[in-house]
Amino acid sequence: MRNTLATKLLFELSQPGRRGARLPVCDVPVRPVDALLPAAAVADEPPPLPELAEPDVVRHFSNLSTLNMSVDTHFYPLGSCTMKYNPKRNERMASLPGMVALHPYQPEETLQGMLQLLYELQQMLGEISGLPGVSLQPAAGAHGELTALMVAAAHFKELGEIRTKVLTPDSAHGTNPASASMAGFQTVTVKSTSAGLVDMADLRAKLDDDVAVFMITNPNTLGIFDDQVAEIADLVHKQGGLIYLDGANMNAIMGITRPGDFGADMMHFNPHKTFSGPHGGGGPGAGPICVSAKLEPYLPTPVVGMCEDRYTLEWDRPKSIGRVRSFFGNVGVLVRAYCYILTHGPDGLRRVSENAVLNANYLLSRVKHILPVPQGERCMHEFVASASRLKKEKSVTAMHLAKRLLDYGYHAPTVYFPLTVPEAMMIEPTETESKETLDAFAETLFRITDEPAELLHDAPHSTTISRPDEVRAARNPVLKWTSA
Ligand SMILES: *Cc1c(COP(=O)(O)O)cnc(C)c1O
């Protein structure tokens, strides 16, 4: 049954004169707005706001809030995004008055608790990554990529080297080439082998003195750990280049291996993925970066430092690339990450990764007979299955499966990414799901693939909106409501 609640806009529900609250007659002298504001600041007519009673508004938003899928309500195997359960305790910690009521312009001596927390988080991220220089400033993973590439650019500038290129594998997340381009580099794509690893011959052919950075995601977006990474790092370092590790998949390797140990010079974390920060719906996230000691001087300011038992914001760093964000970064997300890391401890973080990998392999082994996984029998924390065979046999595509899953109360996996796998379905169960949930999901996939193709072609059948034109919304956004 299609959910018909909350399908009208508040503007459409509006009735002239209806109010949520009525004020008593004013008992002080009234002065017209024109007498208080310059003429240019006064609108010709009042804004066309909807007129509604309180229950209309409460019902509208309460109903709207039930139309979304969320980790708290549904299994959410959205590959690459690590939609793990966000422990409620971290939310409580982050909303303690001592956290939320701080003002970033308070004198440092009144911010010691927060600065200590941020300082310790820097230390923890440095330890987990094996890269000691940490900046908590970037506001998202992609922003961390950009910041680190600016750090790299500052490093080469100081060396007097002109390097114009950034290499990215063809399986890379779209943010990698985008960040490279924003940082002023030209992106060169390196091919992957049929096994989903970096094609070493292609890398050798493209690696020259113009290459500043090789950006690698490891485990990569196919859910495979590229064990050539140390060799790749050697090759790139011999040419004087740097290795950037896109750390979006750290959930698979925490406490097991460290990017700094397998050759990375720089990386970002996505605390909203790896450390259970809530995400989706537009953020906020955070994208702390970790760099090797030689790149540390270029990190953005301020860095949180400690000097004689006092925590301070360090501004005086002459080689720094400067500010990349206001204040101290997205502190709310960082507090949650701190709580998460502290709660688990080193052994707990390792178990998180082991269980993420176990869950993904379990699900892979359950579904591969209907959704083959071209890149292998085993995976790390996620795998990319292909619906190619279903497409050939019964005209059912990855998109049809994804849409039909919504009818069964599952958020769809990531589809059509990475681009190197046809009819890709990128499935990441995360470590917070039980065997029962994974079994129920696998059985739902079996059931859907047995359904008549026609039923799938116009799914979902139970949602308020069935098949929005996904391209038009991006190409031709309608951002302004008009009464016409
Ligand atoms: C999520 C992701 C990013 C971008 O991170 P944001 O925090 O969304 O900006 C980059 N690379 C990979 C592989 C990702 O999964």
Side-chain angles (χ1 to χ4, degrees):
M1 193 193 74
R2 221 177 266 291
N3 187 341
T4 53
L5 297 170
T7 51
K8 283 192 167 178
L9 302 177
L10 285 181
F11 293 96
E12 293 166 321
L13 298 172
S14 175
Q15 293 293 333
R18 195 157 290 171
R19 288 288 176 273
R22 287 186 195 279
L23 299 176
V25 179
C26 193
D27 59 358
V28 291
V30 177
R31 290 175 66 194
V33 171
D34 322 39
L36 299 167
L37 290 175
V42 181
D44 297 335
E45 27 183 312
L49 296 176
E51 297 173 76
L52 296 152
E54 184 170 319
D56 301 330
V57 178
V58 170
R59 265 178 216 157
H60 178 77
F61 286 108
S62 300
N63 288 328
L64 268 188
S65 76
T66 66
L67 301 184
N68 247 346
M69 293 198 149
S70 73
V71 183
D72 283 357
T73 52
H74 299 86
F75 178 45
Y76 209 129
L78 190 68
S80 203
C81 297
T82 316
M83 303 304 284
K84 59 165 90 173
Y85 175 73
N86 313 141
K88 294 292 167 267
R89 192 173 59 143
N90 299 346
E91 298 300 310
R92 247 185 358 259
M93 295 298 141
S95 58
L96 288 174
M99 305 286 183
V100 291
L102 287 182
H103 194 283
Y105 283 143
Q106 274 176 233
E108 245 173 52
E109 55 274 20
T110 68
L111 290 171
Q112 286 297 303
M114 177 58 83
L115 292 179
Q116 179 179 355
L117 185 155
L118 296 175
Y119 180 83
E120 289 176 7
L121 181 60
Q122 287 176 180
Q123 307 284 104
M124 292 169 181
L125 297 179
E127 173 71 26
I128 297 168
S129 64
L131 294 164
V134 181
S135 167
L136 303 176
Q137 292 282 318
H143 194 206
E145 294 168 21
L146 174 65
T147 305
L149 290 173
M150 287 161 66
V151 163
H155 162 74
F156 289 118
K157 190 168 174 199
E158 171 142 336
L159 293 180
E161 291 179 18
I162 296 171
R163 290 175 179 260
T164 53
K165 293 185 202 157
V166 165
L167 303 185
T168 60
D170 53 11
S171 62
H173 195 271
T175 51
N176 291 188
S179 300
S181 154
M182 279 196 74
F185 293 102
Q186 178 205 342
T187 312
V188 178
T189 306
V190 176
K191 286 198 209 104
S192 300
T193 63
S194 58
L197 305 178
V198 171
D199 182 329
M200 295 300 282
D202 197 44
L203 170 63
R204 284 200 177 85
K206 288 170 179 164
L207 187 60
D208 57 28
D209 293 344
D210 291 338
V211 172
V213 179
F214 181 75
M215 298 179 88
I216 183 168
T217 312
N218 206 19
N220 64 22
T221 53
L222 292 160
I224 303 170
F225 189 86
D226 195 326
D227 56 9
Q228 311 167 111
V229 66
E231 189 189 343
I232 293 171
D234 268 353
L235 281 174
V236 172
H237 288 151
K238 279 203 186 97
Q239 289 281 341
L242 297 170
I243 297 286
Y244 183 82
L245 188 280
D246 177 329
N249 295 338
M250 283 303 286
N251 209 44
I253 59 171
M254 280 185 296
I256 298 166
T257 183
R258 307 192 306 169
D261 298 343
F262 59 67
D265 302 283
M266 322 177 270
M267 69 166 291
H268 74 258
F269 280 97
N270 304 67
H272 45 293
K273 297 178 180 173
T274 315
F275 304 128
S276 86
H279 65 141
I289 58 169
C290 304
V291 302
S292 62
K294 79 171 173 197
L295 297 174
E296 195 170 355
Y298 309 101
L299 285 177
T301 47
V303 175
V304 186
M306 190 175 62
C307 179
E308 292 167 1
D309 287 352
R310 259 180 48 92
Y311 298 93
T312 60
L313 289 172
E314 292 176 2
W315 292 99
D316 186 19
R317 300 170 65 94
K319 291 185 184 174
S320 165
I321 60 167
R323 259 202 173 294
V324 297
R325 197 199 177 280
S326 52
F327 307 122
F328 320 164
N330 278 343
V331 166
V333 185
L334 300 172
V335 171
R336 290 169 176 86
Y338 177 83
C339 294
Y340 184 84
I341 295 170
L342 213 56
T343 307
H344 285 282
D347 296 338
L349 288 184
R350 186 187 172 108
R351 271 200 304 281
V352 163
S353 289
E354 288 168 350
N355 286 326
V357 172
L358 180 64
N359 273 1
N361 278 284
Y362 179 72
L363 198 52
L364 182 157
S365 65
R366 286 227 53 188
V367 306
K368 68 181 181 195
H369 64 287
I370 51 155
L371 290 172
V373 179
Q375 271 79 25
E377 290 287 292
R378 283 286 161 253
C379 63
M380 296 293 284
H381 63 303
E382 66 191 353
F383 61 93
V384 182
S386 169
S388 281
R389 203 169 70 200
L390 282 170
K391 186 177 177 185
K392 209 176 300 156
E393 287 170 3
K394 54 184 287 188
S395 309
V396 165
T397 64
M399 186 58 87
H400 296 141
L401 293 175
K403 295 286 188 189
R404 184 65 176 143
L405 277 168
L406 303 177
D407 284 332
Y408 287 92
Y410 291 104
H411 194 284
T414 299
V415 288
Y416 300 102
F417 174 77
L419 306 175
T420 44
V421 176
E423 295 300 322
M425 297 193 79
M426 186 185 207
I427 302 178
E428 178 176 16
T430 83
E431 71 284 0
T432 58
E433 298 301 332
S434 65
K435 178 170 177 295
E436 293 74 37
T437 302
L438 303 182
D439 284 334
F441 179 71
E443 275 143 32
T444 303
L445 276 176
F446 305 157
R447 185 165 160 186
I448 290 176
T449 50
D450 274 344
E451 289 177 335
E454 305 73 60
L455 187 65
L456 273 66
H457 287 166
D458 55 0
H461 302 281
S462 61
T463 53
T464 309
I465 293 171
S466 179
R467 288 284 183 126
D469 182 337
E470 290 161 9
V471 178
R472 209 174 102 206
R475 295 266 161 85
N476 183 24
V478 179
L479 303 175
K480 203 170 174 181
W481 181 82
T482 50
S483 56

